[in-house]
């Protein structure tokens, strides 16, 4: 899960704006009400902790003509309405202008410090701060309906909102729970799908009256200038020729621009772009105006003058490695000079627009002090377009859209393309500069998979965000077109082949829904064809993230085994070793570990007692061949390389009389590494140090086995958390003692994970060099899809274990092939 971080600025922290406005409409859903409806409800006014002194109901008109509300009313029913409950009514008079607002004030309390703007109607209803039902009624007679169905059948009810705890009378599902500091507000598009939960968002109260006035008597322009004149600073002066504004921390007045888009949730505000460009290719002509939680009334096409403070906002916090976003924050005045102006044309990004080279080399120091070179480096090019409208035609997704509504597209469709539509990461010097994060501005993204395409033009303003860097906040999208990828299915194994799979099941615990177990199990059976041995990573203890000292995972493993059997797979057995409490990293309280599942009908596990969290497995000689002292047993668990990380688990298996050593692995994560798109270039990969030490420890184990038995069959499997070209993997494979199977695939097929639009390798299967007969497959079923059972793709290898003699192997394999041929003939 991604942490929720406070919004802070590098030099100036954006605070509440003083005067403001309205929001840009987004694409509407179904619209039962063509005009007047309820836009916002708030019942915490005057309560303890509240800022506003008064409850309110805000109405809006989404129609093209004014709506007269003479003889209408706003009515309220308690959340837990009983037979004796009655509706309370506040009569209305006047009209709601097309696209306008209408503010109804209700009861005041003793708390709060800020008054509502002048209300358009006033009542005395004491609304609950946590839940209730509000109706807009074409009449003043109190309603009598007490159920959702009865109210829906009443033709006088124009709109109805059940908020918070209102479970009886509501449209669809009630809104989220409210409190003394939160209201439920309909989105900027005023969508009315007859589902309150879908149509309303819980957030800071933002009352606006028919004059556009905001709390405390604010007005978008309290001191109108009959002939507004731009100030002496323009957007390109604010952006400057570098990454950090030369005006950071300074007040600017009358900054001119045309509104190109708005954001009405999260970091609220709007983008403006100057139509009078300068001649410096390094200076952007667009900027974001950060208004915080105060509503604003500007819409695209408004020509505005903005007063505010120039700030540099670093997503993730000032001490992080991200770059900053230049903004005008704390706006004190927004003057609308004219409306309905053409929005500046978006710059079309062609496959050659963004340079191939990704970032300047600052020897690991910050690039924020370096001059921009937008014709040489991708990061410089994007910085020089910060805040501007950009357009990508036929944008192909290289990273699936996640739960936060974010994905990655490419502006360079021929840059290391995989057959399934992704962009493959092939080296530290090949970061794939065409990748660009996309998220919703006023246009929501579809639940796209890798390879899906937005046919036609996708347009948005460029910003810089946490978890991905330069981001296109989309105003409009091309037509969604599926790329058609399907989950892969591996080929069937032969009787003479031992199949070993590795699968990171992403924090699997009994507290997960049964559906997750079932889906993972179905993949093991249908997509991996029930491997003989399954190496699992991220198996959590029996109560998951609950931090109470539990370390056993027998319930987790049993539940997974049962699910596989229910899916038609074999009745696997499991082997694992419980870690010490909170010693192996991962989600706090989860005590993740690696584990084996194996099919006893196909392969035998050689159990040797004595293995525990701290006892190291030793390699011993048994009748001239290598064997394990304990099985399962942990490899080198006291080595500091494994501090706060999963310890490898070695198991001794027998397949057709041949011994096979399988080691399950989950190296330390990349947490702490600097962002690829960040200010430090090249980015430091500090986590590599521990993985190199872990690779050295694991390699020592391999060397110990091969010192006794050069013909030993060794399979190393798991989530190495590093690339095939990384120092850790190179250390593990040095001299060819083991072979990294991902390297046997064509370069553009080498991936098992997708991160920030790069298809890359984290999971690996290694074979000892004496195993010559194998069939290897990365089975793509998760990483490329918006709907994932895990964020990793599993891998499977089908091997002919060696007898230890090359000549004996040739004879044995020939006999096995002949027997299998005869069986097929029969």
């Amino acid at each position: 899960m991604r942490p929720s971080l406070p919004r802070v600025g590098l030099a100036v922290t954006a605070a509440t704006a003083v005067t403001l406005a309205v929001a840009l409409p987004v694409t509407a859903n179904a619209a039962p009400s063509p005009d007047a409806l309820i836009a916002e409800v708030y019942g915490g006014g005057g309560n303890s902790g509240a800022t506003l002194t008064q409850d309110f109901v805000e109405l809006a008109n989404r129609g093209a003509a004014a709506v007269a509300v003479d003889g209408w009313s706003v009515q309220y029913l308690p959340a837990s309405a009983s037979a004796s409950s009655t509706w309370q009514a506040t009569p209305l008079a006047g009209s709601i202008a097309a696209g306008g607002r209408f503010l109804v004030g209700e009861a005041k309390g003793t708390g709060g410090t800020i008054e509502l703007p002048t209300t358009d109607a006033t009542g005395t209803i004491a609304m609950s701060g946590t839940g209730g039902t509000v109706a807009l009624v074409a009449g003043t007679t109190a309603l009598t309906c007490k159920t959702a169905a009865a109210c829906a059948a009443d033709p006088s009810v124009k709109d109805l909102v059940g908020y918070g705890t209102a479970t009886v009378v509501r449209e669809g599902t009630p809104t989220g729970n409210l409190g003394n500091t939160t209201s439920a507000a309909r989105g900027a598009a005023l969508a009315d799908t007859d589902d309150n939960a879908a149509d309303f968002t819980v957030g800071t109260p933002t009352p606006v009256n028919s004059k556009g006035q905001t709390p405390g008597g604010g007005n978008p322009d309290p001191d109108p200038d009959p002939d507004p004149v731009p100030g002496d600073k323009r957007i390109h002066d604010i952006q400057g020729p570098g990454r950090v504004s030369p005006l950071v921390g300074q007040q600017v007045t009358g900054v001119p621009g045309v509104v190109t888009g708005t954001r009405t949730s999260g970091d609220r505000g709007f983008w403006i772009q100057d139509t009078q460009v300068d001649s410096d290719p390094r200076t952007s002509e667009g900027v974001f105006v950060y208004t915080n939680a105060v509503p604003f009334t500007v819409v695209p096409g408004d020509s505005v003058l903005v007063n505010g403070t120039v700030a540099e906002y670093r997503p993730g916090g000032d001490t992080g490695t991200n770059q900053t976003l230049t903004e005008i924050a704390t706006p004190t005045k927004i003057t609308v000079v004219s409306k309905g102006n053409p929005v500046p044309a978006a710059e079309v990004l062609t496959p050659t627009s963004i340079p191939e080279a990704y970032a300047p080399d600052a020897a690991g120091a910050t690039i924020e002090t370096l001059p921009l070179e937008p014709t040489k480096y991708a990061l410089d090019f994007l910085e020089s377009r910060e805040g501007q409208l950009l357009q990508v035609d036929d944008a192909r997704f290289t990273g699936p859209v996640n739960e936060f509504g974010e994905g990655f597209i490419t502006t360079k469709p021929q840059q290391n393309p995989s057959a399934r539509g992704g962009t493959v990461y092939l080296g530290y010097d090949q970061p794939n500069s065409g990748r660009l994060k996309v998220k919703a501005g006023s246009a929501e993204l579809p639940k796209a998979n890798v390879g899906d395409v937005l046919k036609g033009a996708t347009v948005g303003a460029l910003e810089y965000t946490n978890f991905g860097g330069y981001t296109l906040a989309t105003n409009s999208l091309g037509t969604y077109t599926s790329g058609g990828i399907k989950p892969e299915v591996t080929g069937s194994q032969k009787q003479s082949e031992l199949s070993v799979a590795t699968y990171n099941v992403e924090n699997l615990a009994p507290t997960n829904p049964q559906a997750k177990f079932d889906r993972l199990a179905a993949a093991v059976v249908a997509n991996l064809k029930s491997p003989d041995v399954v190496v699992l990573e991220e198996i959590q203890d029996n109560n998951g993230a609950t931090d109470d000292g539990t370390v056993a995972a027998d319930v987790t493993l049993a539940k997974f085994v049962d699910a596989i059997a229910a899916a038609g797979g074999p009745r696997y057995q499991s082997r694992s070793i419980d870690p010490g409490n909170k010693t192996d990293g991962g989600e706090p309280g989860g005590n993740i570990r690696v584990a084996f599942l194996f099919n006893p009908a196909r392969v035998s596990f050689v159990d040797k007692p004595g293995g525990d969290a701290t006892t190291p497995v030793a390699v011993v000689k048994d009748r001239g061949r290598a064997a394990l002292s304990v099985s399962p047993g942990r490899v080198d668990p006291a080595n500091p390389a494994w501090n706060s990380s999963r310890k490898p688990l070695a198991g001794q298996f027998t397949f057709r009389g041949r011994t096979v050593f399988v080691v399950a692995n989950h190296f330390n994560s990349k947490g702490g590494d600097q962002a690829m798109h960040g200010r430090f270039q090249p980015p430091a990969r500090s986590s590599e140090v521990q993985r190199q030490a872990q690779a050295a420890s694991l390699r020592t184990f391999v060397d110990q086995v091969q010192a006794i038995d050069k013909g030993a069959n060794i399979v190393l499997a798991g989530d190495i958390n590093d690339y095939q070209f990384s120092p850790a993997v190179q250390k593990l494979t040095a001299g060819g003692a083991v072979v990294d199977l991902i390297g046997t695939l064509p370069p553009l097929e080498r991936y098992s994970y997708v991160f920030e639009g790069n298809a890359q390798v984290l999971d690996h299967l290694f074979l000892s060099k004496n195993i010559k007969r194998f069939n290897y497959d990365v089975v793509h079923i998760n990483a490329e899809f918006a709907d994932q059972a895990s964020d990793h793709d599993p891998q499977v290898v089908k091997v002919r274990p060696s007898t230890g003699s090359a000549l004996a192997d040739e004879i044995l394999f020939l006999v096995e092939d002949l027997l299998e041929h005869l069986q097929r003939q029969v």
Side-chain angles (χ1 to χ4, degrees):
M1 293 180 64
R2 305 196 312 189
S4 177
L5 296 169
R7 196 179 197 283
V8 295
L10 174 63
V12 177
T13 301
T16 303
V18 176
T19 57
L20 288 114
V22 232
L24 170 67
V26 295
T27 304
N29 296 320
S33 175
D35 41 48
L37 40 61
I38 298 167
E40 188 171 1
V41 293
Y42 173 62
N47 292 351
S48 175
T51 299
L52 298 176
T53 62
Q54 190 172 359
D55 300 342
F56 70 85
V57 177
E58 184 182 315
L59 308 177
N61 179 5
R62 62 198 305 271
V67 174
V69 293
D70 294 300
W72 288 24
S73 62
V74 162
Q75 300 196 22
Y76 170 81
L77 184 71
S80 301
S82 64
S84 60
S85 298
T86 59
W87 287 85
Q88 302 174 67
T90 297
L92 309 179
S95 64
I96 311 175
R101 302 289 169 134
F102 188 100
L103 187 62
V104 183
E106 295 295 353
K108 283 190 173 184
T110 58
T113 58
I114 297 178
E115 300 288 337
L116 295 177
T118 302
T119 57
D120 301 296
T122 303
T124 60
I125 301 173
M127 298 166 58
S128 168
T130 57
T133 303
V134 176
L136 176 60
V137 182
T140 57
T141 302
L143 298 173
T144 58
C145 54
K146 299 290 180 62
T147 66
C151 290
D154 190 330
S156 69
V157 177
K158 301 293 291 182
D159 192 22
L160 184 141
V161 178
Y163 67 92
T165 55
T167 58
V168 179
V169 183
R170 76 278 187 234
E171 290 181 349
T173 304
T175 76
N177 292 330
L178 304 188
N180 294 341
T181 60
T182 53
S183 70
R186 204 181 289 271
L190 299 176
D192 186 6
T193 66
D194 279 351
D195 185 347
N196 295 152
D199 295 338
F200 285 80
T201 300
V202 175
T204 303
T206 57
V208 179
N209 67 12
S210 60
K211 296 180 180 180
Q213 294 171 327
T214 55
N219 186 287
D221 191 358
D223 183 20
D225 186 344
D227 187 21
V229 178
D232 62 348
K233 295 294 187 289
R234 304 192 79 92
I235 293 173
H236 47 249
D237 298 318
I238 293 171
Q239 289 285 5
R243 288 181 168 81
V244 177
S245 171
L247 305 178
V248 65
Q250 296 183 28
Q251 300 288 322
V252 288
T253 59
V255 180
V258 175
V259 177
T260 62
T262 65
R263 175 183 289 132
T264 57
S265 62
D267 292 340
R268 301 183 186 185
F270 56 92
W271 287 269
I272 58 174
Q273 190 164 324
D274 200 335
T275 57
Q276 297 183 24
V277 303
D278 67 1
S279 60
D280 191 338
R282 300 171 299 173
T283 57
S284 172
E285 302 294 344
V287 73
F288 184 65
V289 180
Y290 173 57
T291 63
N292 202 353
V294 179
F296 51 88
T297 55
V298 298
V299 295
D302 285 354
S303 176
V304 298
L305 300 176
V306 178
N307 297 1
T309 303
V310 178
E312 292 285 347
Y313 162 53
R314 195 181 304 284
D318 284 351
T319 60
T321 67
N322 284 326
Q323 297 187 64
T324 59
L325 175 68
T326 305
E327 311 177 315
I328 300 176
T330 61
T332 55
K333 186 176 182 181
I334 300 168
T335 302
V336 177
V337 179
S338 61
K339 302 181 75 66
N341 300 281
V343 172
E347 178 182 356
V348 179
L349 298 182
T350 70
T352 59
S353 294
I354 299 177
E356 291 289 328
Y358 192 65
D361 189 341
T366 180
I367 59 175
E368 290 176 337
T369 58
L370 300 181
L372 287 183
E373 297 184 83
T375 61
K376 291 182 62 175
Y377 304 111
L379 293 186
D380 293 36
F381 176 91
L382 294 170
E383 173 63 28
S384 71
R385 270 72 173 175
E386 182 184 83
Q388 290 185 192
L389 284 181
L390 300 179
Q391 175 177 322
V392 182
D393 292 332
D394 297 337
R396 190 183 80 228
F397 283 91
T398 65
V401 173
N402 62 23
E403 60 186 302
F404 305 100
E406 305 163 346
F408 276 80
I409 59 174
T410 180
T411 66
K412 295 178 178 292
Q414 297 306 311
Q415 194 171 54
N416 294 325
S418 74
R420 292 166 61 86
T423 295
V424 184
Y425 184 43
L426 295 176
Y428 295 125
D429 60 343
Q430 299 182 64
N432 295 315
S433 59
R435 295 172 302 111
L436 187 64
K437 182 179 172 182
V438 286
K439 63 180 291 188
S442 55
E444 298 290 334
L445 296 178
K447 283 295 184 182
N449 300 325
V450 167
D452 293 351
V453 176
L454 298 173
K455 285 285 188 181
T458 292
V459 178
L462 188 69
E463 59 179 342
Y464 187 96
T465 66
N466 206 5
F467 309 109
Y470 288 103
T471 301
L472 197 66
T474 56
N475 290 345
S476 61
L477 303 176
T479 303
Y480 171 69
T481 306
S482 172
I485 65 168
K486 303 292 184 184
E488 292 184 334
V489 176
T490 196
S492 298
Q493 71 187 88
K494 297 178 180 179
Q495 280 291 110
S496 58
E497 292 177 327
L498 171 70
S499 59
V500 181
T502 177
Y503 199 177
N504 183 319
V505 290
E506 195 177 9
N507 290 322
L508 186 65
T511 51
N512 293 147
Q514 182 63 40
K516 178 173 182 177
F517 281 88
D518 294 342
R519 187 170 172 186
L520 291 167
V524 169
V525 176
N527 301 87
L528 301 183
K529 298 294 181 69
S530 300
D532 300 320
V533 179
V534 184
V535 172
L536 298 173
E537 301 90 55
E538 294 197 18
I539 292 293
Q540 290 198 342
D541 62 35
N542 290 336
N543 59 14
T546 301
D547 189 2
D548 63 357
T550 298
V551 293
D554 54 313
V555 175
T556 310
L557 291 166
K559 191 171 182 178
F560 195 23
V561 166
D562 289 345
I564 293 172
R571 172 60 66 174
Y572 283 105
Q573 292 185 18
S574 66
R575 296 291 187 274
S576 66
I577 290 178
D578 296 332
N581 188 38
K582 294 191 284 193
T583 61
D584 282 17
E587 186 176 22
N591 289 312
I592 61 173
R593 82 288 312 274
V594 294
F596 297 120
L597 298 184
F598 65 94
N599 180 1
R602 291 268 304 158
V603 63
S604 298
F605 191 88
V606 181
D607 286 296
K608 295 186 177 182
D612 57 28
T614 58
T615 299
V617 63
V619 183
V620 298
K621 185 177 290 188
D622 182 5
R623 288 174 289 184
R625 303 299 296 269
L628 300 183
S629 60
V630 293
S631 177
R634 288 182 136 194
V635 176
D636 200 14
N639 190 323
W642 305 108
N643 287 350
S644 299
S645 184
R646 285 64 57 188
K647 285 67 175 172
L649 185 70
Q652 185 172 330
F653 293 84
T654 302
F655 179 74
R656 293 194 160 198
R658 284 158 272 173
T659 296
V660 181
F661 301 106
V662 182
V663 184
N665 300 277
H666 188 182
F667 283 17
N668 72 296
S669 77
K670 290 182 172 295
D673 287 4
Q674 293 175 346
M676 181 185 291
H677 50 75
R679 55 175 160 156
F680 300 110
Q681 295 293 337
R685 300 183 295 271
S686 58
S687 67
E688 281 186 354
V689 175
Q690 185 175 4
R691 283 193 298 280
Q692 289 187 65
Q694 291 175 339
S697 171
L698 184 59
R699 176 58 187 269
T700 296
F701 172 81
V702 171
D703 291 343
Q704 289 170 347
V705 174
Q706 293 181 337
I708 293 175
D709 185 357
K710 293 185 183 303
N713 298 296
I714 305 172
V715 181
L716 310 178
D719 180 359
I720 302 301
N721 261 320
D722 224 333
Y723 316 118
Q724 70 274 22
F725 47 80
S726 67
V729 171
Q730 298 308 307
K731 184 178 290 290
L732 190 56
T733 59
V738 292
V739 177
D740 186 9
L741 296 187
I742 197 76
T744 67
L745 298 180
L748 295 180
E749 294 181 19
R750 297 174 187 172
Y751 65 95
S752 63
Y753 189 81
V754 178
F755 180 71
E756 293 186 350
N758 266 335
Q760 56 192 240
V761 178
L762 294 183
D763 310 273
H764 295 259
L765 277 165
F766 304 88
L767 296 183
S768 51
K769 60 184 178 182
N770 59 294
I771 301 179
K772 304 298 185 182
R773 301 277 290 270
F774 63 85
N775 189 343
Y776 168 69
D777 192 11
V778 180
V779 188
H780 300 299
I781 60 176
N782 289 317
E784 298 168 309
F785 295 90
D787 180 21
Q788 302 176 340
S790 166
D791 50 353
H792 292 251
D793 285 332
Q795 303 179 15
V796 62
V797 63
K798 308 170 189 72
V799 303
R800 295 277 191 97
S802 172
T803 63
S805 163
L807 178 61
D809 286 349
E810 289 299 321
I811 296 172
L812 177 63
F813 296 161
L814 182 63
V815 171
E816 289 177 338
D817 288 342
L818 179 61
L819 289 174
E820 289 185 2
H821 175 73
L822 292 174
Q823 288 173 347
R824 286 194 297 271
Q825 296 300 314
V826 174

